[in-house]
Amino acid sequence: MALENGEKSEERSGPTGKYKVVLMLRVMAILATAAATIVMALNKQTKTFVVATIGTTPISATLAAKFHHTPAFVFFVVANGMATVHNLVMLVVEIFAPKLDYKGLRLAIIAILDMMTVGLISGGVNAAVFMAELGKNGNSHARWNKICDKFDSFCDRGGASIIASFIGLLFMLLITTFSIIKLLKPISHHNLP
């Protein structure tokens, strides 16, 4: 009973250090995944190339590189967008409903959703990295040409977006670790002799 009263008085006195760290990590994850989403979603570059010459007259074609031309980049944008929304919702829940918990159920649900978000971001960023590598180096066996030598700005912005997503993934891993530790902490108190 005294331990419970001590815990309750600690919650009433204000956010603890770990609580503030998790909130800060969520804000950083929101910023990173939102930046990755926005940069990739707005990523496009148009260039005009000479494709043939008839006599002395060059024939030009205008080509565009856009994120939605590649399903892996579309998945990347959706995954990071969903991670941003997840973290916004969890931030609101943690700020405005910290005491609404039934035997650790809220903490368990948050930990599970955080783990699912880690998997989602990881899948999206890894798909984007695969396509970025293909765009940078091509694949001579499949006869796929590289495009980053022609659409350098598109590739640079895509790379920046991938880096932002990896940073968001790192923050989500830390958040998930704290969520699991927070979830397991009451169990360790009950197991003490």
Side-chain angles (χ1 to χ4, degrees):
M1 186 75 174
L3 181 62
E4 289 179 13
N5 289 338
E7 288 175 358
K8 287 181 182 176
S9 65
E10 186 179 303
E11 285 179 6
R12 287 186 194 133
S13 67
T16 62
K18 288 181 185 176
Y19 177 76
K20 288 179 182 179
V21 168
V22 171
L23 290 180
M24 183 183 68
L25 288 172
R26 283 216 189 269
V27 169
M28 298 304 289
I30 289 168
L31 294 174
T33 56
T37 303
I38 292 167
V39 169
M40 186 63 86
L42 298 176
N43 194 10
K44 65 180 179 178
Q45 183 179 3
T46 304
K47 277 196 161 184
T48 303
F49 300 98
V50 175
V51 293
T53 305
I54 299 177
T56 58
T57 307
I59 305 296
S60 301
T62 301
L63 301 173
K66 298 179 182 177
F67 89 96
H68 62 81
H69 292 162
T70 307
F73 290 154
V74 173
F75 174 54
F76 174 84
V77 169
V78 170
N80 280 282
M82 289 177 68
T84 302
V85 170
H86 163 78
N87 279 308
L88 282 170
V89 170
M90 291 300 113
L91 193 63
V92 169
V93 167
E94 288 179 2
I95 290 173
F96 295 111
K99 296 177 185 174
L100 296 177
D101 197 7
Y102 180 73
K103 296 184 180 182
L105 184 61
R106 181 181 72 93
L107 293 175
I109 291 172
I110 288 174
I112 290 168
L113 290 174
D114 286 343
M115 284 189 287
M116 290 171 62
T117 302
V118 165
L120 186 65
I121 296 172
S122 178
V125 74
N126 283 307
V129 165
F130 170 76
M131 290 309 297
E133 195 278 330
L134 190 61
K136 183 177 180 184
N137 299 318
N139 186 330
S140 60
H141 300 291
R143 297 186 185 208
W144 293 336
N145 296 328
K146 57 185 176 180
I147 66 159
C148 285
D149 57 339
K150 297 168 187 69
F151 294 99
D152 52 343
S153 296
F154 176 81
C155 291
D156 291 343
R157 287 188 294 269
S161 180
I162 288 169
I163 290 169
S165 185
F166 270 119
I167 292 169
L169 177 60
L170 175 65
F171 287 131
M172 279 307 301
L173 285 169
L174 292 171
I175 291 167
T176 303
T177 302
F178 280 120
S179 295
I180 292 170
I181 290 170
K182 192 175 180 181
L183 180 64
L184 295 177
K185 190 173 182 180
I187 295 170
S188 64
H189 287 301
H190 294 297
N191 292 337
L192 292 176

